[in-house]
Amino acid sequence: MSSSSSSSSSSSSSEDGNGNGNGSGGVGGHYGARRGGDFEGPSSSRQRRRAVNEVWPEPFVEALAAQVAIEASRSVGRLAAAAALANVFQVCSTWRAVSRSDLLWHRLTRRIWGRTNLLHATWRDEYIYRHRTAQNFRTRRYTHFNLYFDPSDVDNPDGLTCRCLTLSDLYLACGFADGAVRLFDLTTRLHIRTFRPQHSDRLGQFSRAVSGIILTASQLIFATLDGDIHVAVIDDVANETRTAHFGSVMDDGVLIDFTGCSRYWVGLYAGLAGRAFHIWDRQAEEVFVGGDLTDHNTVMGWRMLTEFTEFVGRVRVTSHESAVACTSSRVITFDLRNQGMVLGERGYGRGLYVTSVDVNAEAYIVVENRELENQNRRLAIVRRVDTFEEVCRFSLRADRNVNVMGCMNQGYALMCVEGVIRVWEVEGGEYMYSFRERIGEEVIAFVGDDRHVAASCGTNIHLWDFGA
């Protein structure tokens, strides 16, 4: 990373300057300044450096360095924080010593990169890794892989369709139409486990299709269209998947999407009025039921049990324990900690692409279905979840009859249209590039985080790794 190289190269030059200041020139400069006489610039510069060394306490310098980096990331971009830090560390040896503070790097990694889990030896290593990975994302430096698994245990070919994808730091989980969830190790890119729900009565060919997956540090939680929620311990191969919640389609409707975080699970239902949202805590206790988001999509919700249809709705959770849910005509944001209290709502008279909606830590993206003045172009807008304030907008080429699949990480928005994946920078809406691979027109699931991007096309699963 540029900050480490800059600080190491500036180390020798700063030490030379401080070393020269230990001679008579430094004393004479101090004496001349006390008497009000003139003294030469270099001597004055050395004196100021020595004064900085002597006066500024290390905790103050550490706080100053953190503030400079955070402000640079806010005003210019997250990658600019490294150069701002390098400038701070070049001031003198005392300020440079702050670069060895793991507390500083912990704070910066959390504030700038939104990371709270340490995956490397130190927080400084973690910060450098996140910076380099983001730089790779910006410059299209990645490796593409096709993931494979043994399909011999699947009786119905329709069961091999991958309907949803979820990423964590270590794993990619793929949910299939027959209810199976296959887990891949992101380091080896090998299929390591398959989780299956316990048998239940079928209410349609796809009633056991996976509708959503949550990955935590130790658990895999997944739901099926019939409303069942299943929990498995990832490293516990001896015990089978257990059912934490038994769904009731006749009472709740069809569970069309499912997501969550370490504290809450969220289900989006369609089929019955007034029961669109269900929120559970991590003990599978239901804490909220309500909402009318999908009241106009009841028929389409029921049809999902028996046939592949267009996506009815989507729900995503931010790192601040708020959620964004949508249908083709509305977007609602709500607070998971306050029994689903609605934070905001926005209607789209001409419609939106449900599969384009995604969130990062504090913002969401949506692509409107209305055509712009330029033929076959659609408008994508990124807004803050809590205030609906617009962050940026950009246009993309998409015919009315094709689907738009979207995902977003902290720095970039990705849109897949007719098998081509294009990337925009989130902070300003600048178009960056398109992926080199064309993956086919029938993309069913699409997901990305700060390092990986994954897509499923029928039975094919693609993975892109931007890791440093």
Side-chain angles (χ1 to χ4, degrees), residues 277 291-294 314-316 323-327 330-334 340-346 348 364 385 388:
F277 301 118
D292 62 354
L293 179 64
T294 58
R314 174 171 282 194
V315 61
R316 294 291 182 265
V324 177
C326 76
T327 62
R330 292 168 65 194
V331 171
I332 291 179
T333 63
F334 54 97
M341 182 184 73
V342 174
L343 300 175
E345 181 176 344
R346 194 174 187 90
Y348 294 83
Y364 76 91
V385 172
F388 276 33

Side-chain angles (χ1 to χ4, degrees), residues 133-441:
T133 302
Q135 184 66 34
N136 288 347
F137 231 110
R138 185 172 184 82
T139 57
R140 203 173 70 163
R141 187 176 300 139
Y142 64 78
T143 308
H144 170 256
F145 305 94
N146 287 296
L147 303 185
Y148 300 98
F149 61 92
D150 184 3
S152 60
D153 60 345
V154 179
D155 298 328
N156 188 340
D158 288 336
L160 288 172
T161 302
C162 178
R163 294 176 57 94
C164 61
L165 300 165
T166 299
L167 281 164
S168 72
D169 289 328
L170 302 176
Y171 304 107
L172 170 67
C174 309
F176 288 79
D178 65 349
V181 176
R182 292 178 172 85
L183 192 67
F184 291 84
D185 186 303
L186 289 175
T187 302
T188 63
R189 293 172 294 280
L190 296 177
H191 171 221
I192 57 173
R193 285 197 68 181
T194 298
F195 303 91
R196 295 185 181 278
Q198 298 178 3
H199 291 289
S200 60
D201 294 333
R202 286 195 175 188
L203 298 174
Q205 181 180 356
F206 300 110
S207 61
R208 288 193 297 184
V210 178
S211 55
I213 308 169
I214 304 169
L215 280 172
T216 69
S218 60
Q219 289 185 325
L220 184 148
I221 306 106
F222 66 100
T224 49
L225 288 175
D226 59 12
D228 289 351
I229 301 175
H230 311 277
V231 179
V233 178
I234 294 175
D235 293 330
D236 186 0
V237 296
N239 293 315
E240 294 184 356
T241 302
R242 67 178 179 88
T243 303
H245 173 80
F246 290 94
S248 176
V249 174
M250 302 307 297
D251 294 327
D252 296 320
V254 180
L255 181 49
I256 60 175
D257 201 6
F258 176 77
T259 187
C261 57
S262 60
R263 292 184 59 190
Y264 297 101
W265 308 342
V266 186
L268 179 62
Y269 288 76
L272 294 175
R275 301 183 68 84
F277 301 118
H278 290 233
I279 302 176
W280 299 266
D281 62 18
R282 58 187 170 189
Q283 281 78 40
E285 293 292 331
E286 203 165 55
V287 298
F288 175 79
V289 177
D292 62 354
L293 179 64
T294 58
D295 282 5
H296 297 292
N297 304 97
T298 55
V299 175
M300 291 182 63
W302 291 114
R303 287 177 57 193
M304 292 182 69
L305 295 174
T306 58
E307 58 185 284
F308 281 122
T309 65
E310 63 183 272
F311 289 87
V312 177
R314 174 171 282 194
V315 61
R316 294 291 182 265
V317 172
T318 74
S319 61
H320 299 300
E321 296 182 344
S322 58
V324 177
C326 76
T327 62
S328 60
S329 60
R330 292 168 65 194
V331 171
I332 291 179
T333 63
F334 54 97
D335 187 356
L336 299 179
R337 296 165 294 186
N338 194 11
Q339 295 187 337
M341 182 184 73
V342 174
L343 300 175
E345 181 176 344
R346 194 174 187 90
Y348 294 83
R350 299 186 181 181
L352 58 85
Y353 292 93
V354 170
T355 52
S356 72
V357 177
D358 198 20
V359 302
N360 60 20
E362 55 190 19
Y364 76 91
I365 188 169
V366 60
V367 178
E368 298 182 8
N369 201 8
R370 63 186 176 93
E371 191 172 84
L372 299 179
E373 293 181 1
N374 295 328
Q375 190 176 11
N376 296 334
R377 298 199 72 85
R378 315 294 167 180
L379 179 65
I381 302 179
V382 178
R383 297 184 183 274
R384 299 195 184 280
V385 172
D386 53 351
T387 65
F388 276 33
E389 175 189 357
E390 183 176 315
V391 177
C392 75
R393 61 173 56 195
F394 56 87
S395 66
L396 66 152
R397 185 177 299 278
D399 293 331
R400 180 173 293 276
N401 296 324
V402 303
N403 198 20
V404 177
M405 305 292 296
C407 66
M408 180 169 62
N409 60 26
Q410 289 297 94
Y412 304 95
L414 297 87
M415 293 292 159
C416 181
V417 180
E418 297 184 295
V420 179
I421 300 174
R422 294 180 174 88
V423 182
W424 286 262
E425 186 255 340
V426 167
E427 292 162 342
E430 177 188 1
Y431 174 72
M432 305 301 298
Y433 56 83
S434 63
F435 281 21
R436 290 183 289 269
E437 298 77 18
R438 186 183 179 96
I439 58 175
E441 297 183 3

